Amino acid sequence: MGNGTTLQHVDVLIVGAGLSGIGMACHLTRECPTKSYAILEARQDLGGTWDLFKYPGIRTDSDMHTFGYDFKPWKSNISIVEADLIKNYIQEAADEHDVTRHITFGRRVVDASWDSATSTWTVTIRPEVDGQVVDSSVDGAVGEPTTMTCNWLQMCSGYYSYSEPHRPDFPGEERFGGEIVHPQSWPDHLQTAEQLDGKKIVVIGSGATAVTLIPALAKKGAHVTMLQRTPSWIFPAPAKNPIAAGLRAVLPEKVAYGAIRRMNTWRTELAYKQTRTKPEKIEAMINKMVAKKLDGSKEMDPHFTPPYKPWDQRLCLAPDGDIFTAIKEGRADVVTDHIETFDETGIVLRSGERIDADVIVTATGLSMLALGGVTPVVDGERIDIAETFTYKGFMYSGVPNLGTTFGYINASWTLRADLIARYICRLLNKMDADGTTRALPVADPGMPQRPYVDDFSAGYMQRRVHTFPKQSDRDPWTASQSYAHDKKVLLAADADLADGVMEFSSPVREPATA
């Protein structure tokens, strides 16, 4: 199998060595120590998102006291941090739980087939280097697909395509004489202050990536213009948590971390609920904070007054209001308009105005991808995931022993990743105790159907949510966006895994014929 495990069969196979995959492995080590497992990762290093993206300033837009694992304290008062620190944190967790030796890099899972007679998944694995299939004709290369079997398959490959970001075509872009860059494939020659100083850069988009990129590029000496059709809600939050500093000064590290995590989770969920019930209150609060940061340097309307409620689309985070500081100091600007065409030296707007550019950044979003692009086959039948119901947000009706890690839209991804991992560990331990080998969610096909994520109008979600499973109007067939609800449903002492929906069984083999 290459640089990691040489096993051909494991109890649990984890696909993806990012935040979710490493977390799943750590939970297995802690809660299911007798289970064998392996991790397959298509890239050449762990970290997932935090290894993929290389654009200046790439960071989390959630606080690390909730974005971190529940078992590993974040040991800093700074809670909004860049990718290198997040990747280091993931690597530390892997090292502390002896996970790294279980990872095989450069291996992509392309097919998965379930056999009820043996209660096993057989996965087909393709060697890759930097997203490219290994050419088996090259001397010494091992490019032929291989297979591996497991009893439980856990997909931790994220929710978007690493190779095909959302990239619309713009009129006239072939005429542009400068460079066009997408943040998902950021080049090495646009990294340092020496490389960026004095460049005129236009960032198309107003989402989390644009809000992160603009102050980072401006800090390195570029003059940056954010070109947006529609503004986003941008929340200027402190990068350093003063309450965390106080608690860490007087409490043991683990106790302080747990307290900060609970407090931040509660505050985030409360704020989200208010955006659903009293959106005008949250709008007024954010507008007041933004206006104070801008200090009259830019008009609020139309540049910072979205036509939708906060959390109808993802709320963008600006640590210490860095993007507003860059605008106030004249190192960045924001233009709200539509693109008419690119030309040789920049962008012509529908209003007739134009923006000169040396570099145009298309921060136009992600392309969602269910199950990492794998179509599962169950006893010879290909399963269209979009035709299934989600079970508790992490399994699929009619598909046994297959889990997916999908975090929250409105809170830190890892909060839900931890809950899912711990629930699966409970499920595996129950199956061992009962002597069963198959866990199959069975749905009533007549249930009402809702999108996997609803009440969320972000473009990246609307473009591809139809390819994800459906949810219904009742538990356990919902994909909750509430940590408090999920914690109760998944981890409460009285949460019954045998809920009348999950069918537990063992394979029934036909007797051999003479």
Side-chain angles (χ1 to χ4, degrees), residues 8-9 61 105 137 146 174-175 213 220 295 353 483 500:
Q8 294 304 306
H9 175 84
D61 58 353
F105 296 107
S137 66
T146 56
E174 71 283 353
R175 296 162 55 196
L213 252 176
K220 294 177 183 288
D295 194 23
E353 300 294 319
Y483 177 74

Side-chain angles (χ1 to χ4, degrees), residues 177-501:
E179 188 170 4
I180 301 175
V181 175
H182 193 285
Q184 201 161 312
S185 52
W186 196 268
D188 292 338
H189 64 266
L190 293 176
Q191 290 286 354
T192 67
E194 183 180 7
Q195 294 165 333
L196 292 165
D197 187 36
K199 286 191 179 295
K200 298 188 290 290
I201 301 178
V202 176
V203 178
I204 300 173
S206 59
T209 300
V211 171
T212 299
L213 252 176
I214 288 162
L217 293 171
K219 188 176 181 180
K220 294 177 183 288
H223 185 275
V224 195
T225 301
M226 178 166 72
L227 175 56
Q228 59 181 12
R229 291 183 302 179
T230 306
S232 298
W233 288 102
I234 305 174
F235 181 68
K240 186 175 182 179
N241 188 327
I243 299 176
L247 289 176
R248 293 182 67 245
V250 298
L251 294 174
E253 195 74 65
K254 290 186 69 173
V255 176
Y257 179 66
I260 300 162
R261 187 179 176 88
R262 288 190 296 273
M263 178 190 68
N264 286 0
T265 301
W266 174 80
R267 290 171 62 183
T268 300
E269 189 152 352
L270 176 63
Y272 176 75
K273 287 180 178 177
Q274 287 190 319
T275 67
R276 305 299 89 190
T277 58
K278 300 177 181 178
E280 66 284 347
K281 181 177 179 180
I282 302 297
E283 289 177 16
M285 178 191 71
I286 297 175
N287 285 336
K288 183 178 179 180
M289 296 173 73
V290 171
K292 183 177 180 180
K293 289 289 184 181
L294 288 171
D295 194 23
S297 60
K298 197 72 179 177
E299 301 89 351
M300 290 288 291
D301 188 14
H303 306 301
F304 301 103
T305 52
Y308 55 86
K309 298 188 296 291
W311 277 122
D312 281 359
Q313 298 186 23
R314 190 168 179 85
L315 191 70
C316 298
L317 189 68
D320 294 329
D322 54 2
I323 188 171
F324 305 114
T325 300
I327 292 170
K328 181 179 177 180
E329 294 176 352
R331 296 178 287 116
D333 194 12
V334 56
V335 173
T336 305
D337 207 329
H338 287 71
I339 295 171
E340 184 70 27
T341 185
F342 287 23
D343 65 13
E344 288 76 10
T345 59
I347 299 176
V348 179
L349 304 176
R350 189 175 296 175
S351 64
E353 300 294 319
R354 68 180 314 283
I355 310 173
D356 288 332
D358 301 310
V359 179
I360 296 174
V361 180
T362 55
T364 47
L366 308 167
S367 291
M368 290 180 63
L369 185 66
L371 278 180
V374 174
T375 300
V377 176
V378 176
D379 294 330
E381 180 183 354
R382 294 177 68 82
I383 304 296
D384 181 355
I385 289 299
E387 298 298 319
T388 69
F389 282 99
T390 182
Y391 175 83
K392 297 187 178 181
F394 75 93
M395 289 184 73
Y396 307 91
S397 60
V399 183
N401 292 31
L402 172 65
T404 303
T405 302
F406 194 105
Y408 292 115
I409 298 298
N410 58 6
S412 290
W413 179 274
T414 323
L415 289 172
R416 198 154 196 274
D418 277 332
L419 292 180
I420 290 170
R422 292 176 66 186
Y423 188 85
I424 289 172
C425 288
R426 290 183 63 195
L427 196 62
L428 294 173
N429 287 333
K430 173 181 172 54
M431 292 168 70
D432 282 351
D434 295 348
T436 57
T437 58
R438 185 180 71 170
L440 176 68
V442 180
D444 174 1
M447 291 190 301
Q449 295 186 0
R450 297 160 52 206
Y452 183 74
V453 176
D454 54 7
D455 196 23
F456 188 71
S457 60
Y460 74 91
M461 184 66 66
Q462 295 302 313
R463 286 190 297 268
R464 298 289 295 170
V465 72
H466 66 278
T467 66
F468 280 68
K470 304 299 185 289
Q471 62 171 321
S472 193
D473 58 355
R474 68 205 70 170
D475 285 336
W477 305 109
T478 60
S480 164
Q481 293 298 316
S482 168
Y483 177 74
H485 172 272
D486 286 343
K487 189 174 182 180
K488 180 179 180 181
V489 168
L490 298 178
L491 295 188
D494 60 351
D496 189 1
L497 278 72
D499 55 9
V501 166

Side-chain angles (χ1 to χ4, degrees), residues 126-168:
R126 186 179 68 192
E128 287 193 3
V129 175
D130 297 330
Q132 301 298 316
V133 179
V134 174
D135 184 355
S136 59
S137 66
V138 177
D139 289 344
V142 183
E144 295 299 324
T146 56
T147 61
M148 186 175 179
T149 59
C150 62
N151 299 114
W152 186 278
L153 180 60
Q154 185 65 25
M155 302 297 291
C156 296
S157 48
Y159 67 104
Y160 66 91
S161 171
Y162 277 26
S163 59
E164 297 181 5
H166 178 63
R167 168 63 166 89

